[in-house]
Amino acid sequence: MIQDIGPHTYHNEYRPVFLTDRGILLSYDGRSVLVKTEGGHLIFPRLSDFPDQAGKAFRWLFREDEEQYFWAEQPLPEGHGFSYVPINFLRAAEPRFQAFAGVAGLSLAGWYMNHRFCGQCGRPMEHSRTERMVYCDHCHTMMYPRICPAVIVAVRNGSRLLISKYAGREYKRAALIAGFAEIGETIEDTVHREVMEEVGVKVKNLQFYKSQPWCFTDTLLFGFFCDLDGDDTLHVDHDELAVARWVEREELPDDPEKASLTMEMMTLFKTGIL
């Protein structure tokens, strides 16, 4: 999956450093990221690639191995071989540790942008020097990065798996049932509710498989396998799903990206492992 970057290591301990010419810059324009490609590999700019931007605002984000990553608080201009590409380009980009850095940076950049001002009194937020937190010096509101828990559900029906496609979304490939946890429910309750809401069937034998940080949507995904409980007639909520159907395991799609928990779970069912 996209976060599996070994032998490289992602360090998110809050230990900011000063930006130098070697600092890697992550620059976003909406949901596009500034990169260039050489020999099929993506490259992010360093400050040395944009020396005229040295006086601009950059915020330290994290470290991978010994490389320090910084967010350009205002989008950098295209040039020097760098251009903006849609963030989904990173799903299959190489090297994988760089692709993951670009997606993790998007999530952090979005959090910083959305917390420039206090939601209680509207004053500018201050940045903690000791932890990744912003606070209001006037009303003492404190905000930490928020991660949304959600489920990915592989519903088995004998040799068939429940496959869907999202309605009205950029992602058009095959998917599993998915949804966000609501306040006051367990993550297992979320599985039952989302399956019932989206396709109108009951499930049993919930088996937790694995979690995944999905920084494209600031989400922590919880992957579950489960079995159909009763009638397999689907009643599809077309506000959420364009289509949902039972698919034989040999008809399931391949996974060229090796990025998502969804596709890894499909592959496990396709190969008969789970």
Side-chain angles (χ1 to χ4, degrees):
M1 295 189 287
I2 195 168
Q3 78 276 7
D4 297 328
I5 62 172
H8 302 279
T9 304
Y10 169 66
H11 298 272
N12 61 0
E13 311 95 309
Y14 191 71
R15 295 174 182 170
V17 299
F18 290 109
L19 176 61
T20 69
D21 283 350
R22 295 293 299 165
I24 296 177
L25 308 181
L26 297 177
S27 180
Y28 304 97
D29 187 0
R31 289 186 62 80
S32 294
V33 59
L34 188 68
V35 302
K36 70 177 177 181
T37 56
E38 289 183 358
H41 282 199
L42 74 90
I43 299 173
F44 293 118
R46 298 181 185 270
L47 183 60
S48 57
D49 294 309
F50 289 89
D52 57 326
Q53 301 292 312
K56 300 295 178 66
F58 297 95
R59 183 162 299 281
W60 179 86
L61 295 178
F62 50 78
R63 173 170 66 91
E64 276 192 350
D65 299 336
E66 299 307 314
E67 297 279 18
Q68 305 286 350
Y69 288 75
F70 296 80
W71 167 49
E73 296 191 29
Q74 296 296 324
L76 297 174
E78 294 184 317
H80 309 284
F82 294 93
S83 60
Y84 285 95
V85 300
I87 196 68
N88 278 339
F89 167 79
L90 300 181
R91 290 177 65 115
E94 297 286 349
R96 302 300 280 161
F97 74 97
Q98 289 278 57
F100 178 67
V103 181
L106 175 72
S107 189
L108 283 169
W111 179 75
Y112 278 121
M113 276 195 298
N114 291 330
H115 292 87
R116 286 174 167 162
F117 298 95
C118 178
Q120 293 279 10
C121 69
R123 288 173 170 80
M125 297 293 260
E126 304 287 338
H127 291 262
S128 170
R129 295 183 179 181
T130 59
E131 57 184 336
R132 200 182 301 278
M133 180 266 286
V134 294
Y135 65 93
C136 178
D137 208 26
H138 176 75
C139 70
H140 309 298
T141 295
M142 296 187 297
M143 296 298 298
Y144 292 86
R146 299 295 175 89
I147 301 169
C148 304
V151 295
I152 297 291
V153 189
V155 183
R156 299 173 296 207
N157 182 10
S159 64
R160 299 185 296 170
L161 194 69
L162 181 56
I163 299 300
S164 67
K165 291 187 178 181
Y166 301 129
R169 298 204 199 168
E170 180 182 353
Y171 187 78
K172 302 298 184 184
R173 300 177 188 175
L176 299 173
I177 298 298
F180 290 101
E182 298 288 351
I183 292 173
E185 69 181 0
T186 67
I187 204 72
E188 292 84 2
D189 288 340
T190 304
V191 171
H192 289 284
R193 177 181 55 77
E194 285 292 340
V195 175
M196 176 57 67
E197 286 181 354
E198 295 192 359
V199 292
V201 299
K202 295 181 179 180
V203 294
K204 61 183 179 181
N205 303 330
L206 272 63
Q207 176 186 1
F208 174 70
Y209 167 61
K210 186 186 286 187
S211 64
Q212 179 181 29
W214 191 245
C215 300
F216 291 95
T217 55
D218 308 330
T219 307
L220 179 61
L221 299 173
F222 294 81
F224 284 87
F225 285 89
C226 57
D227 296 309
L228 175 71
D229 184 9
D231 185 12
D232 68 359
T233 303
L234 302 177
H235 303 278
V236 181
D237 178 358
H238 288 290
D239 289 334
E240 293 286 336
L241 303 177
V243 65
R245 62 190 182 95
W246 298 108
V247 177
E248 293 289 343
R249 66 174 77 238
E250 62 270 14
E251 297 175 2
L252 292 170
D254 294 327
D255 181 17
E257 291 179 338
K258 303 294 190 293
S260 72
L261 178 60
T262 294
M263 292 305 301
E264 182 170 295
M265 291 171 68
M266 283 189 203
T267 300
L268 288 171
F269 184 80
K270 181 176 183 176
T271 56
I273 297 175
L274 283 173

